[in-house]
Amino acid sequence: MAKAAESSGEPGTTWPRPLFAGLSDISISQDILVEGEFTIPMRSHIREFDSSTLNESVQNTIMRDLKAVGKKFMHVLYPRKSNTLLRDWDLWGPLILCVTLALMLQRSSVDSEKDGGPQFAEVFVIVWFGAVTITLNSKLLGGNISFFQSLCVLGYCILPLTVAMLVCRLVLLAEQGPINFMVRLFVVIVMFAWSIVASTAFLADSQPPNRKALAIYPVFLFYFVISWMILTFTPQ
Amino acid sequence: MENMDDTSGSSFEDMGELHQRLREEEVHADAAAAEEEDGEFLGMKGFKGQLSRQVADQMWQAGKRQASRAFSLYANIDILRPYFDVEPAQVRSRLLESMIPIKMVNFPQKIAGELYGPLMLVFTLVAILLHGMKTSDTIIREGTLMGTAIGTCFGYWLGVSSFIYFLAYLCNAQITMLQMLALLGYGLFGHCIVLFITYNIHLHALFYLFWLLVGGLSTLRMVAVLVSRTVGPTQRLLLCGTLAALHMLFLLYLHFAYHKVVEGILDTLEGPNIPPMQRVPRDIPAALPAARLPATVLNATAKAVMVTLQSH
């Protein structure tokens, strides 16, 4: 290790070498017996050769993906500053959430006269184009987050609002009245705040420090529109 | 960087070419290195295969080069990057300045050429319109609430900007398209304030007061900036008159198109006597009778709450 450190460059440089960088140059020939316990830190998800995931059963694949999605749901519900959503992004979770929300927001409008409620396509388009717009905005402001990572975070942070939709649907089964409305208003406001806090926890680090407010404001508008659609939903 | 007057034309096309050429050189260097290793093993038998492979390779490279050149030219997000180079303090000060008309019209006033503020204001206006449409129970026959709101706001911002830019070209005014977009975008700040207040407090007198005051201030600001950049009384009158008329009338339209008389709401709750309003009302609702005036002050949602309380 000492030799590697000396050969890395002039001793005067303050450039910190990444940990264990010299390990990649080690080659162990056959006739030298090496024993003992090696611990080499690696990333927790190593994508090995593709054939190993191609040959496994469908159930394995689905369970693995569902577990990944569930793990990210947990990260959204208890937002801490972590990199999970950004590092292993996927779009399954946002798709599931968006479809659930759109299905629940669809009015069973047989009567075309009162067709004022959002239809499936409207909700779908709002969510995805809203997320795309926010991503473009944050990239233009100088953020160093990739396109799909941002889509992933914004999609996953709709989870609290989907929960709010479920609660509102249940509350609407009871008799309608001012208390009903107040309960729904309270639930939606709390979940709206939760969504914003969750997405801020993930997205804020990728922005330059003095422009965080500029990047968070469109997120606020986006979740406001979705919250408004949820709050004003009344089944006929 | 903040006041980019974009009068220089399409110099970004040259940048696109430069980027493309640099990337091609890299790719060529890699491909040449790979080919050298490859050719040594095969000998005569592999020669024909190698030739056909090279031809296919070259065709692929040519096609890829064309596609990536087109892509890097038109889908490059970096073209818009300078227009989003703002700080929060700047946005805040520009929002406040958009309500303060300037007095000095003798030399051209500076217009900040940025797109972040105007874009966010248009989206805010969309959100406020949605809020207003929901509380007034507007029913859209074809199309959707969201589509209508987005179409209206973006259509106004882009359409009126283009129209005034065209008029400015006719009147020899010194303003670029980007500056016009920014000017009109910031002028929507007044609209946002007025609509936000009056969608929650349905007093017609209050609306007219705000329309004149706040709408008037933001229109005056835009007009003053345009006057400072135009020469000649006729041209100034034409340009500024058109802009003032369009801006004030738009606010009037937004308020009355999505505003429903409270009587209609009460009648809908009590009996189906009133047909639902069309998407673009042709008539402005008549003045309210004096007895119902207190009822009109509150939000329609609170109104519905009170009615259900009374009926229980």
Side-chain angles (χ1 to χ4, degrees):
Chain A
M1 266 318 219
K3 265 195 216 157
E6 275 170 37
S7 60
S8 68
E10 309 96 19
T13 56
T14 52
W15 172 57
R17 292 192 78 218
L19 275 180
F20 303 110
L23 273 180
S24 57
D25 304 331
I26 293 178
S27 62
I28 303 175
S29 65
Q30 291 289 350
D31 48 345
I32 298 181
L33 190 62
V34 182
E35 288 185 287
E37 276 188 31
F38 290 103
T39 50
I40 303 176
M42 291 185 195
R43 288 177 29 179
S44 53
H45 291 275
I46 305 176
R47 295 283 160 157
E48 293 169 357
F49 318 107
D50 268 339
S51 56
S52 69
T53 60
L54 260 177
N55 287 336
E56 65 183 7
S57 70
V58 173
Q59 186 189 1
N60 275 355
T61 314
I62 292 181
M63 287 314 296
R64 191 183 60 230
D65 284 336
L66 277 181
K67 273 193 203 132
V69 168
K71 199 165 127 196
K72 294 200 189 84
F73 278 172
M74 285 299 127
H75 275 275
V76 171
L77 285 179
Y78 303 107
R80 303 179 290 275
K81 282 209 186 295
S82 84
N83 268 341
T84 313
L85 252 71
L86 291 179
R87 198 178 53 210
D88 303 321
W89 61 266
D90 71 83
L91 291 178
W92 281 116
L95 183 68
I96 295 173
L97 287 172
C98 181
V99 168
T100 316
L101 195 63
L103 281 176
M104 285 197 288
L105 274 176
Q106 181 163 17
R107 231 179 253 232
S108 56
S109 51
V110 178
D111 184 10
S112 65
E113 292 262 329
K114 297 234 169 213
D115 201 11
Q119 299 302 309
F120 182 91
E122 187 183 356
V123 177
F124 209 80
V125 163
I126 289 174
V127 169
W128 288 102
F129 276 97
V132 164
T133 310
I134 296 175
T135 309
L136 284 177
N137 176 63
S138 77
K139 281 182 82 77
L140 284 170
L141 282 174
N144 59 354
I145 195 172
S146 96
F147 184 73
F148 287 110
Q149 281 173 341
S150 175
L151 277 188
C152 167
V153 168
L154 287 168
Y156 270 103
C157 291
I158 295 181
L159 177 66
L161 287 171
T162 313
V163 169
M165 182 74 221
L166 279 168
V167 171
C168 284
R169 253 333 252 282
L170 291 173
V171 168
L172 279 170
L173 289 176
E175 56 159 280
Q176 303 225 12
I179 304 178
N180 198 312
F181 181 73
M182 288 300 157
V183 167
R184 283 189 291 136
L185 181 69
F186 176 70
V187 167
V188 168
I189 288 182
V190 166
M191 292 302 180
F192 167 63
W194 199 334
S195 285
I196 296 202
V197 165
S199 62
T200 312
F202 294 119
L203 286 179
D205 283 336
S206 66
Q207 292 295 322
N210 49 343
R211 291 191 188 175
K212 290 204 171 84
L214 296 184
I216 297 294
Y217 178 68
V219 177
F220 169 85
L221 277 181
F222 176 61
Y223 288 132
F224 175 79
V225 167
I226 298 183
S227 312
W228 194 252
M229 283 198 294
I230 292 175
L231 185 61
T232 57
F233 173 77
T234 48
Q236 291 300 331
Chain B
M1 246 330 188
E2 52 199 56
N3 303 324
M4 265 204 76
D5 258 340
D6 195 8
T7 51
S8 55
S10 52
S11 57
F12 60 85
E13 285 176 346
D14 301 334
M15 287 307 291
E17 277 288 322
L18 202 62
H19 278 200
Q20 191 59 37
R21 224 175 297 141
L22 286 173
R23 233 178 295 153
E24 276 174 41
E25 284 174 17
E26 278 181 35
V27 168
H28 275 317
D30 292 341
E35 267 178 35
E36 274 185 22
E37 295 175 16
D38 219 11
E40 287 174 10
F41 294 119
L42 294 177
M44 199 53 196
K45 195 172 170 193
F47 185 66
K48 275 192 196 159
Q50 211 178 355
L51 189 63
S52 67
R53 206 163 8 119
Q54 271 190 358
V55 169
D57 213 13
Q58 275 181 359
M59 283 187 57
W60 166 251
Q61 289 293 335
K64 192 167 131 183
R65 202 180 316 139
Q66 286 226 356
S68 62
R69 187 183 306 159
F71 183 76
S72 71
L73 199 57
Y74 295 113
N76 198 356
I77 204 177
D78 287 329
I79 299 174
L80 290 177
R81 211 177 274 273
Y83 307 138
F84 281 75
D85 192 14
V86 287
E87 306 292 321
Q90 284 176 335
V91 174
R92 199 170 35 235
S93 68
R94 282 171 197 167
L95 281 176
L96 292 175
E97 276 171 11
S98 74
M99 303 295 293
I100 304 174
I102 39 175
K103 288 216 179 96
M104 292 192 285
V105 294
N106 294 326
F107 61 93
Q109 292 298 317
K110 188 177 72 167
I111 305 178
E114 56 135 326
L115 286 179
Y116 174 82
L119 204 62
M120 287 305 127
L121 278 171
V122 173
F123 280 125
T124 311
L125 192 61
V126 168
I128 294 178
L129 277 187
L130 276 181
H131 165 67
M133 281 201 276
K134 281 290 189 182
T135 54
S136 71
D137 208 27
T138 307
I139 293 172
I140 310 265
R141 293 217 171 262
E142 283 145 22
T144 60
L145 283 174
M146 190 73 191
T148 318
I150 290 186
T152 310
C153 296
F154 270 96
Y156 175 75
W157 183 46
L158 296 171
V160 171
S161 290
S162 318
F163 180 61
I164 300 290
Y165 176 65
F166 167 67
L167 278 185
Y169 171 74
L170 289 182
C171 300
N172 261 339
Q174 287 176 2
I175 194 165
T176 65
M177 184 66 190
L178 172 74
Q179 289 171 332
M180 191 60 228
L181 281 171
L183 191 65
L184 194 64
Y186 274 112
L188 286 176
F189 181 55
H191 283 25
C192 288
I193 296 178
V194 175
L195 288 174
F196 182 67
I197 296 177
T198 55
Y199 277 150
N200 293 316
I201 308 175
H202 289 283
L203 257 186
H204 278 278
L206 184 69
F207 168 70
Y208 284 121
L209 182 69
F210 270 111
W211 178 62
L212 281 176
L213 212 60
V214 180
L217 272 179
S218 74
T219 311
L220 267 179
R221 154 104 188 155
M222 292 200 296
V223 157
V225 170
L226 277 180
V227 159
S228 75
R229 287 169 169 256
T230 318
V231 179
T234 323
Q235 288 92 329
R236 282 178 171 180
L237 191 62
L238 175 67
L239 198 56
C240 303
T242 319
L243 180 61
L246 284 172
H247 204 62
M248 299 293 273
L249 286 177
F250 183 59
L251 184 52
L252 215 57
Y253 167 74
L254 283 181
H255 182 82
F256 286 111
Y258 302 131
H259 172 82
K260 183 166 181 168
V261 182
V262 177
E263 287 203 43
I265 296 178
L266 289 178
D267 284 344
T268 316
L269 286 173
E270 291 162 11
N273 290 328
I274 280 200
M277 271 177 77
Q278 304 282 333
R279 174 248 185 275
V280 175
R282 303 294 171 202
D283 48 1
I284 294 179
L288 298 166
R292 303 259 198 187
L293 203 53
T296 68
V297 177
L298 296 170
N299 194 342
T301 320
K303 197 79 228 31
V305 162
M306 268 174 50
V307 167
T308 48
L309 269 177
Q310 282 171 5
S311 62
H312 279 346

